Amino acid sequence: MLKLESTPPQPMHAPGAFALWNLGFRPFYFLASVFAALSVALWTCEYAGYLPAGYLRTPAWHGHEMLFGYTLAVITGFLFTAVRNWTGRPTPTGALLAAYAAFWVAGRVLVLTPYALAAALVNAAFPLAVAVGIGIPLLRSGNRRNYFFIALLVLLGLATLALHLSFLGVLAWPQLASLQVGLDVVLFIMAVMGGRVIPMFTNNGIPGAQARRHPLVEKLALGGVLALFAADLLQASAIVVAVLALTTAAAHAVRLYLWQPWRTWSAPLVWILHAAYGWIVVYLMLRALATLGFISEPLTVHALTIGAIGGLTIGMITRTARGHTGRPLTADGFEVMCYVLVQLAAAIRVFGGMLLPGINLTTIIVSAICWSSAFALYAIRYWPVLAQARVDGKPG
C-alpha cells in the first residue's frame, strides 16, 4: 500500500457497513477477479470445442479482453486508490465510481454484440475517462512525478481503438500489433511501479533484507521497455526487436537480483511480487527467441500476461485490499493458494506448451483451470472485504 501523503479528512464508517463505492479498489478488484475467472474459463471451453465459437471470435479478442478488460480494471482500481494517497485529493467515489464501473461493464458486454462501433467507442473511451479521473487530482496537486500515468492511459485508449478500427476494416493496422503496443504500455507500468514498491516492501517485510536500486540499472531497465515500445510501434525488424529484448532482459535480471528475491520465501505477500517480476525477465528472453522464429509467439505472450501481469496483479490486489481495509499485511492460506495457482498457470502454459507440444490443448486447459480457480477463490474470499467498511472504522 502506497501512502505518500495523508488523505483528506472524511467521515468515519462503521465496520461492516456497505462500502463498495467508498474507494476505487473495491469495485474494480472485485469485477476484475470475477471477470478473470469467468472469461478465461469461457474462452478455453470455446477454444477446446466444448462450446460453439462466438464469444470473442479470434485470439486477438481474447487478448483484448484480458488486457483492456481485466488488466485495465486492476490498473483503474489501483490508480483511483493510489492517486488519492499521492495527492491528498479525492478520486471518484460514490455514484461517480459506480458510473465508472458500469462504463467498464458496458465495454465487456458490447464486445459480445454486433454493435462493433459502439464497442469501439466505449472501450477506447474508458481509459480516457480514467485518465480524467486521476488527472484532475494530479494536476491540481502539482504531482508531476505521476503525470506519466495520464499519458499511458491515453496510449491504452489509442491502442484499443486501433484494434477495433482494424477489425472494422477502417485502419490498415494488424490487430495483434495493437495488442503488443498495449502490452508494452502495461509492461512499462509494471516496471515503474515494481521499481517503486518491490524493494520497499522487501525491506519493510523481510528483516535484514537490503534490496536496493542502482541508477544506471534503473535507466537501462525502463529505457529498454520504452525502446521496445518504439520498435513495436514502428514495426521494426526482427533482429532489432530481438536485440532490444535480450538487452532489456539482462537489465531487468540485474534489477531483480539487487532486490534479493532469495530472502523473501517466508513472506508470501513479498515473494509473489518477486516471482511475478521474474516472469518479465523470462518474457523478454522468450520474446527474442520468438521474434527470431525459435519458439511459438503465444508462449511468449503468456509468460507476460499470466506470469508477470497475473502474478503482480494477484499480489497487489491482495496486499492493497488488506492494507486499505485496515487488515494485517500477512497472507493466509487462501491468498497463498491464489499465488501458487497463478504461478502454476503460467508455468504450465509456457513451459508445458514448450516442452510438451503434443499435448498443447491439455496444457492450455490445465493452465486455465489454475488461473480461473485462483481468481474465483479471490472473488469469494474478498467479496466481504471489499464490500464492507474498514475494520478499523477509518474512511476508505
Side-chain angles (χ1 to χ4, degrees):
M1 178 179 61
L2 296 177
K3 193 166 185 178
L4 306 184
E5 299 182 48
S6 61
T7 57
Q10 296 183 26
M12 303 291 278
H13 298 281
F18 187 73
L20 189 64
W21 310 114
N22 283 8
L23 199 53
F25 76 94
R26 293 177 176 274
F28 279 103
Y29 286 4
F30 179 71
L31 287 171
S33 61
V34 171
F35 182 74
L38 295 179
S39 178
V40 169
L42 182 56
W43 165 254
T44 304
C45 288
E46 287 189 5
Y47 184 83
Y50 298 129
L51 291 174
Y55 171 45
L56 295 174
R57 300 182 287 282
T58 69
W61 288 101
H62 164 59
H64 174 279
E65 287 302 276
M66 296 314 297
L67 178 59
F68 301 113
Y70 165 73
T71 305
L72 187 53
V74 175
I75 290 172
T76 300
F78 174 81
L79 287 177
F80 278 175
T81 305
V83 167
R84 191 181 76 156
N85 287 332
W86 295 340
T87 64
R89 294 175 180 268
T91 52
T93 58
L96 181 57
L97 179 58
Y100 268 97
F103 197 5
W104 179 87
V105 171
R108 314 286 60 77
V109 172
L110 282 170
V111 296
L112 309 179
T113 71
Y115 307 113
L117 182 58
L121 294 175
V122 169
N123 279 284
F126 179 76
L128 303 182
V130 177
V132 173
I134 68 165
I136 292 173
L138 285 173
L139 293 170
R140 287 179 174 173
S141 66
N143 191 293
R144 294 181 177 83
R145 185 187 186 210
N146 293 298
Y147 282 0
F148 74 96
F149 280 113
I150 302 172
L152 294 177
L153 287 164
V154 171
L155 286 174
L156 286 176
L158 293 175
T160 188
L161 180 61
L163 191 154
H164 282 271
L165 292 180
S166 62
F167 172 75
L168 291 168
V170 176
L171 181 66
W173 173 260
Q175 294 180 22
L176 292 179
S178 295
L179 286 177
Q180 185 59 63
V181 168
L183 286 171
D184 290 340
V185 172
V186 172
L187 175 58
F188 186 71
I189 293 173
M190 292 192 299
V192 170
M193 294 311 302
R196 290 185 185 181
V197 304
I198 295 177
M200 178 179 66
F201 290 167
T202 302
N203 290 333
N204 290 345
I206 310 296
Q210 296 179 342
R212 62 192 188 278
R213 301 170 65 186
H214 190 284
L216 179 59
V217 174
E218 294 296 301
K219 291 177 182 178
L220 291 174
L222 298 180
V225 175
L226 290 176
L228 269 175
F229 168 79
D232 289 330
L233 193 62
L234 298 173
Q235 299 287 280
S237 66
I239 189 65
V240 169
V241 172
V243 170
L244 283 174
L246 283 176
T247 55
T248 306
H252 283 274
V254 174
R255 194 187 200 202
L256 180 60
Y257 173 81
L258 293 174
W259 297 344
Q260 302 183 340
W262 59 89
R263 293 180 177 270
T264 66
W265 301 117
S266 62
L269 283 175
V270 179
W271 72 245
I272 182 58
L273 302 179
H274 285 262
Y277 200 89
W279 280 103
I280 292 178
V281 179
V282 174
Y283 159 71
L284 291 167
M285 295 174 64
L286 293 182
R287 183 160 187 212
L289 295 175
T291 300
L292 297 175
F294 292 111
I295 62 172
S296 171
E297 186 71 27
L299 299 178
T300 299
V301 171
H302 285 94
L304 177 62
T305 55
I306 303 177
I309 295 177
L312 280 173
T313 53
I314 194 67
M316 292 303 294
I317 66 177
T318 51
R319 185 185 186 96
T320 56
R322 278 188 164 275
H324 284 287
T325 57
R327 288 171 170 80
L329 291 178
T330 55
D332 61 20
F334 288 97
E335 284 123 350
V336 173
M337 181 61 68
C338 291
Y339 301 162
V340 170
L341 284 170
V342 170
Q343 293 302 297
L344 282 175
I348 292 168
R349 182 67 179 95
V350 176
F351 298 119
M354 191 183 304
L355 301 175
L356 303 169
I359 57 169
N360 185 57
L361 180 58
T362 300
T363 60
I364 291 173
I365 292 173
V366 175
S367 174
I369 290 172
C370 291
W371 171 277
S372 292
S373 298
F375 286 96
L377 184 61
Y378 177 91
I380 294 169
R381 171 70 175 81
Y382 270 80
W383 166 248
V385 174
L386 299 171
Q388 296 176 5
R390 292 177 59 118
V391 294
D392 55 11
K394 295 180 179 179

